[in-house]
Amino acid sequence: MLYYILYPLHEVYSAFNVFKYITFRTAYAVLTAFLISLFIGPWLIRKLKEYQIGENIREDGPRSHIVKTGTPTMGGILILMALFIPTLLWADIKNSYIILILFSTLGFGLIGFADDYLKVVRKRSMGLGAKEKFAAQIFIGLCIAIVIIYFMPERASYATRLGVPFFKKVIPDIGLFYIPFVMLVVVGASNAVNLTDGLDGLAIGPIIIATAAYMAIIYVTGHYKFADYLDIQYVKGSGEVTVFCGAVVGASLGFLWFNSYPAQMFMGNVGSLALGGALGTVAVISKHELLLVLIGGVFVIEALSVIMQVAYFKLSNGRRIFRMAPLHHHFEEKGWEEPKVIVRFWIIALVLALLALSTLKLR
Ligand code: 57M
């Protein structure tokens, strides 16, 4: 919005030219989002406590979690407010990628909200049914795929092509298979972040790292000269999503202030599903979909640990690979202190993100 109000003033006073620059607007989106999170956080925690929107801790989980009973949850509302306001303020709100990413984030956020609301407020223990939740996620994934293939004419020449890390010339066209592929990326990311969100700061740390990495990637893919220099697909108009990524980073840093060990609030599904969905959508927009496996490596490992555990559990009549899945519980059960598991997972996320960024040049 500020872009439309303030940038035209450069004709009167040239200093207003700065509002044209994505880098400038991204920096201020980070800052605005961080400050909104920081200021609204204590108020939201008070309100969540007042309305008794607290976590019910499952008794079959690690014993160390029992003390977390009643911790305010649904803090994702804070993250969503703190990322929507700066995006609306600093980004070009008529940009089709900004509209798409806000739709995706809000869509997944609403699914999470409905699930949390039923679980925590209405005390329906399972929240939304697994089938209902999955169907809603698939619907949003399908909308994103259709919009990106059929309603973005500037993408027509590469819409269904896949960017392959390490290879400059390999950009296979997978045709209509791109639709289920997009659904897999977006819905998979959303659920993987949700599974990871089981220790204080465990999900939000890698979200900050992965989104910051995609912030750099989407900036270069949206910049004709950088894209040309790096020999990556130039995605016209996508640079604006850098501002959105900045808002996610700022909002998440502010949330981490309260979610760091020992957490004063959890994000709930409203936060985890929204942030995961947003990350998957940024990966799709930037045409660096496959790189998400590396950038979001921690989420992938956590999701794989669940798939392996459940499959082995069923095939072997009740035996387990890990002491408990997802993987973070395995280390807790082995006796690692919670902060040790969290910080080590952050370190892995950071190393993987750096490795992923290096692939921009290693091609
Ligand atoms: C969400 N939710 C956390 C909080 C957070 C198929 C199966 C593996 C599914 C999985 C599952 O239900 N995952 C979905 C996991 C929960 O956190 C809430 O949920 C939101 C995110 N969706 O924001 O509101 C608990 O996590 C802890 N927590 C923190 N700090 C935070 O900042 O400490 C969360 C955020 C919170 C709190 O204790 O209550 C969760 O873990 O439930 N199921 C599981 O993860 C369960 N695994 C399992 O059953 N494994 C079996 C299977 C696969 C064979 C096995 O390995 O034997 C575990 N989770 C729990 N108990 N709580 C184990 C049992």
Side-chain angles (χ1 to χ4, degrees), residues 114-146:
D115 197 22
D116 286 337
Y117 181 80
L118 290 174
K119 238 185 262 175
V120 187
V121 183
R122 288 293 175 89
K123 313 282 179 213
R124 192 169 121 183
S125 65
M126 288 312 287
L128 271 183
K131 278 186 193 155
E132 292 163 301
K133 195 157 56 178
F134 191 59
Q137 290 179 318
I138 287 286
F139 173 72
I140 295 179
L142 181 66
C143 291
I144 295 168
I146 288 179

Side-chain angles (χ1 to χ4, degrees), residues 25-93:
R25 287 183 285 118
T26 301
Y28 278 85
V30 176
L31 216 67
T32 318
F34 177 65
L35 291 176
I36 292 176
S37 258
L38 221 52
F39 283 118
I40 299 185
W43 172 82
L44 184 71
I45 294 173
R46 265 200 314 277
K47 284 286 160 205
L48 291 172
K49 279 187 180 159
E50 199 179 310
Y51 292 106
Q52 296 183 347
I53 303 187
E55 188 75 20
N56 298 313
I57 305 290
R58 279 170 51 177
E59 279 164 15
D60 55 351
R63 302 204 127 271
S64 56
H65 284 238
I66 305 290
V67 293
K68 295 172 187 246
T69 302
T71 305
T73 187
M74 295 181 82
I77 297 171
L78 173 72
I79 305 176
L80 289 181
M81 283 198 297
L83 74 85
F84 264 77
I85 299 170
T87 306
L88 296 176
L89 277 180
W90 295 104
D92 171 2
I93 46 173

